[in-house]
Structures are given as C-alpha cells and as structure tokens.
Amino acid sequence: MDVTVRYFAGARAAAGRTEETASAGRSLDELVGELTQRHGPRLAAVLQVASFLVDGVTCHDRRTPLPAGSTIDVLPPFAGG
C-alpha cells in the first residue's frame, strides 16, 4: 500500500502537482530522496526547508517508517501573518 503526498503553496508549484502517491514503509528522509529524484532541484530546495505532517501531526523523527495509507503534507515556510 502507498502513502499520499500532498503539496501546498511553493511545494505545489515546485512539484507541478497538488498530490501524488509513494511507497509506504520508508522513512520521511527516504521519501524526500525519492521526491527529489522525481522532481529535481527546484522541489529539493523546498523540501530542505519544509515542515511535514503525517496524518495531521508534525513529524519529529524523520527516520520512522511511514505507515501505509497515511497522508504526508509538505508545508513550505509561509510569509505573512
């Protein structure tokens, strides 16, 4: 089973899509590597500074395997207030 990756703001622009799927069971760090390979340096730059939510909860341990069926939100830094 897969995970769903949802992109917001600048991450959406860099990825060229709003969401996609990826294989479950890997860590967030491994997922970031895969997404960088898929989409190139523009998304890689966003992913370096982004925050990640796993099923709506901030991910603090980027080495923990991502559960099958989960949703990963990619949140780049936002300006304003």
Side-chain angles (χ1 to χ4, degrees):
M1 190 162 188
D2 293 333
V3 297
T4 300
V5 180
R6 299 189 308 184
Y7 298 104
F8 294 88
R12 178 179 31 222
R17 63 190 68 219
T18 58
E19 71 178 49
E20 65 184 311
T21 60
S23 300
R26 294 173 305 144
S27 70
L28 183 58
D29 283 338
E30 292 168 325
L31 175 63
V32 166
E34 178 184 330
L35 298 175
T36 295
Q37 283 188 313
R38 284 187 194 181
H39 300 290
R42 186 170 171 209
L43 182 60
V46 174
L47 295 175
Q48 287 180 350
V49 296
S51 297
F52 299 90
L53 302 179
V54 178
D55 292 331
V57 178
T58 302
C59 180
H60 294 290
D61 184 356
R62 296 174 56 120
R63 296 174 306 217
T64 300
L66 298 168
S70 62
T71 299
I72 315 310
D73 293 329
V74 181
L75 305 171
F78 294 94

